[in-house]
Amino acid sequence: MKKVMFVSCMLLISGGLLAQSGGGKKDAANKKQQMKQMIDEQFKFAVEQYKVLAKNTPANVMPKTYYAKNNKSETSDTKWWCSGFYPGSLLYIYEYTKDAATLKEAEARLGILEKEKHYTGNHDLGFMMFCSFGNAYRITKNPAYKTTIDTSAASLSTRYRPAAKLIQSWNSSSRWKGPVIIDNMMNLELLNWVSANGGDKKYAAISKSHADKTILNHFRPDYSSYHVVDYDMKTGEVVKKATWQGAADSSAWSRGQGWALYGYTMMYRFTKDKRYLNQAKNIAKFILNNPNMPADMVPYWDFDAPGIPNADRDASAASLMASALLELGQYTKKAERNTYVTAAEKMLTSLSTDAYRAKLGENGGFLLMHSTGALPLKSEVDVPLTYADYYYLEAMLRYKNWYL
Ligand code: GLY
């Protein structure tokens, strides 16, 4: 997946816009029709492919990834940060297809995940419990799911450090004092949602403090984000700015840019605070104007990866960015919205080709190939990942609900 033509995405996006303004309404209608057909096909595929994934995954664990070279599936326990994505993906597939067996499988997996509502070992509870139970409650309105979400928010909030006004991502170690990673922005959705749905308002206040401090310290002047900012949690002072999964401390790790984009767009959804909207728009600009964005708009694993254009891709970054861009488009006026939606369309269209989307029965039952978990740690390189599938499905549902 390394030899893909290297062309600045600016050319591509402006090309897309020109095509739209030149072709007028007919082109736009054709595009919609193509997208509708593509989304329909992808969900029809997903419902079958995820039956393969279910078969490959013992009942007491969650899928994690699959290694094609030795035809080996890897699973995780429910404490792994990704444990909510599989049930979440099943719920998205059910939402679109109404396939009863898919809902049953989702319910079974929620059953093994539920106990993690008390987990406080890191900041990942939002990923784990909101991508899963958040969707389950939204779709089924089962009150037991809401109780689980509320308990999860209480657990996550124990990681808030009032002196620093931050949620601590990982525990202190010999390497980090009080680390906060940009990914943490995603966990704020759980907290905001609980406050907005009858829960304690302190969770929204915690989210706001965390998002504000992150704007202050996590971003460079070009709106790219550091991966890790290490803090003294007693004073709130920055100890160092660094990376863990990126190419270098100073690089723009692609998925991190996606987390930032999604996170500030989501913060605007809940607060309507224009500072968050502007932050999201500036992050989008960094991503979409980046000269290292490939022509198919599936980012290299790091925008500054060594070896571009032969560096590995990260399909998960593309699906995450596509989903975030579609939401950002909801909060912006026509010309700007077109830029975001055109970019998301391109990402989703590329992901839906044979270059990224697996064939039925292959890829361990996952939908997408070619994601990168943590290249510097030699972990999960050029593999399928649960969250690549999750945000891909979410983005297609968003497209269907908002733009068709
Ligand atoms: N949140 C961890 C990752 O994006 O790999």
Side-chain angles (χ1 to χ4, degrees):
M1 196 51 241
K2 293 187 184 175
K3 291 174 212 70
V4 183
M5 210 172 39
F6 173 74
V7 179
S8 160
C9 80
M10 264 318 273
L11 291 174
L12 187 128
I13 290 173
S14 53
L17 287 176
L18 279 178
Q20 208 171 57
S21 56
K25 283 191 180 145
K26 204 164 161 220
D27 280 358
N30 283 344
K31 181 82 218 174
K32 272 192 186 182
Q33 188 49 37
Q34 278 167 19
M35 289 299 291
K36 185 176 181 316
Q37 194 179 331
M38 186 191 90
I39 291 168
D40 206 43
E41 280 168 17
Q42 295 311 319
F43 274 94
K44 279 190 182 128
F45 168 77
V47 81
E48 297 310 320
Q49 180 77 339
Y50 261 44
K51 295 202 164 108
V52 178
L53 186 57
K55 264 204 198 100
N56 286 345
T57 311
N60 58 339
V61 290
M62 296 290 185
K64 190 176 179 200
T65 186
Y66 166 78
Y67 295 98
K69 60 179 184 296
N70 51 6
N71 186 26
K72 216 173 153 11
S73 295
E74 194 173 301
T75 60
S76 77
D77 66 19
T78 49
K79 284 193 170 42
W80 179 237
W81 75 275
C82 302
S83 58
F85 292 122
Y86 175 54
S89 290
L90 290 164
L91 287 158
Y92 282 146
I93 295 168
Y94 168 71
E95 189 174 5
Y96 190 94
T97 64
K98 299 288 177 279
D99 179 68
T102 299
L103 179 61
K104 203 162 165 243
E105 170 70 359
E107 286 167 345
R109 302 295 169 160
L110 291 171
I112 66 163
L113 180 59
E114 195 235 334
K115 60 185 178 301
E116 305 305 349
K117 65 189 175 193
H118 300 299
Y119 185 64
T120 57
N122 60 41
H123 70 145
D124 285 321
L125 224 59
F127 284 118
M128 294 156 66
M129 305 309 278
F130 199 68
C131 298
S132 52
F133 285 92
N135 280 312
Y137 181 68
R138 183 178 60 78
I139 293 168
T140 68
K141 293 288 177 281
N142 178 342
Y145 294 151
K146 186 167 188 300
T147 307
T148 300
I149 296 168
D150 291 346
T151 306
S152 303
S155 300
L156 175 57
S157 72
T158 64
R159 298 194 65 86
Y160 185 63
R161 310 288 179 250
K165 298 187 185 315
L166 286 161
I167 296 168
Q168 185 168 339
S169 297
W170 305 324
N171 296 338
S172 310
S173 64
S174 54
R175 189 183 193 106
W176 312 109
K177 224 172 160 188
V180 174
I181 61 174
I182 190 64
D183 324 28
N184 205 335
M185 286 301 302
M186 300 296 285
N187 294 306
L188 306 183
E189 189 170 5
L190 164 67
L191 299 178
N192 280 311
W193 187 90
V194 169
S195 288
N197 287 274
D200 196 324
K201 299 287 182 225
K202 79 175 179 195
Y203 301 130
I206 287 174
S207 293
K208 186 179 173 317
S209 298
H210 185 93
D212 291 350
K213 191 97 185 231
T214 299
I215 286 186
L216 206 62
N217 290 326
H218 244 93
F219 291 89
R220 308 182 182 102
D222 63 0
Y223 293 94
S224 69
S225 163
Y226 288 93
H227 183 202
V228 190
V229 177
D230 198 19
Y231 287 93
D232 180 332
M233 287 295 178
K234 290 199 184 79
T235 64
E237 292 298 311
V238 173
V239 176
K240 65 182 172 200
K241 300 188 179 188
T243 197
W244 180 241
Q245 282 157 265
D249 290 347
S250 59
S251 76
W253 173 53
S254 297
R255 199 163 53 255
Q257 312 316 302
W259 295 142
L261 175 66
Y262 195 117
Y264 282 98
T265 306
M266 175 273 298
M267 281 303 296
Y268 179 72
R269 182 203 316 157
F270 282 103
T271 63
K272 298 296 168 217
D273 183 334
K274 283 273 166 25
R275 290 176 312 124
Y276 299 140
L277 183 62
N278 287 335
Q279 188 72 10
K281 287 181 181 188
N282 282 319
I283 298 164
K285 232 180 253 167
F286 173 82
I287 292 170
L288 299 180
N289 293 350
N290 198 291
N292 283 350
M293 177 66 96
D296 68 359
M297 300 200 63
V298 177
Y300 299 103
W301 68 277
D302 190 302
F303 281 102
D304 306 300
I308 288 175
N310 295 317
D312 282 295
R313 302 300 190 91
D314 182 10
S316 79
S319 58
L320 163 66
M321 286 170 186
S323 189
L325 288 166
L326 291 173
E327 181 168 12
L328 189 54
Q330 290 290 291
Y331 309 139
T332 48
K333 296 214 174 78
K334 201 170 172 199
E336 211 174 342
R337 182 188 313 141
N338 275 347
T339 304
Y340 302 141
V341 175
T342 303
E345 280 168 352
K346 181 66 192 171
M347 289 169 177
L348 292 176
T349 305
S350 295
L351 291 174
S352 300
T353 64
D354 288 350
Y356 296 95
R357 215 224 57 204
K359 296 212 167 24
L360 187 62
E362 297 182 2
N363 201 34
F366 291 88
L367 308 180
L368 296 177
M369 307 179 280
H370 307 309
S371 288
T372 300
L375 191 136
L377 311 177
K378 296 189 172 54
S379 169
E380 301 172 342
V381 179
D382 195 14
V383 292
L385 289 168
T386 50
Y387 43 99
D389 287 5
Y390 175 86
Y391 291 105
Y392 174 61
L393 294 166
E394 179 181 89
M396 290 192 290
L397 272 176
R398 286 179 164 191
Y399 194 95
K400 171 187 166 271
N401 291 337
W402 296 339
Y403 298 103
L404 283 182

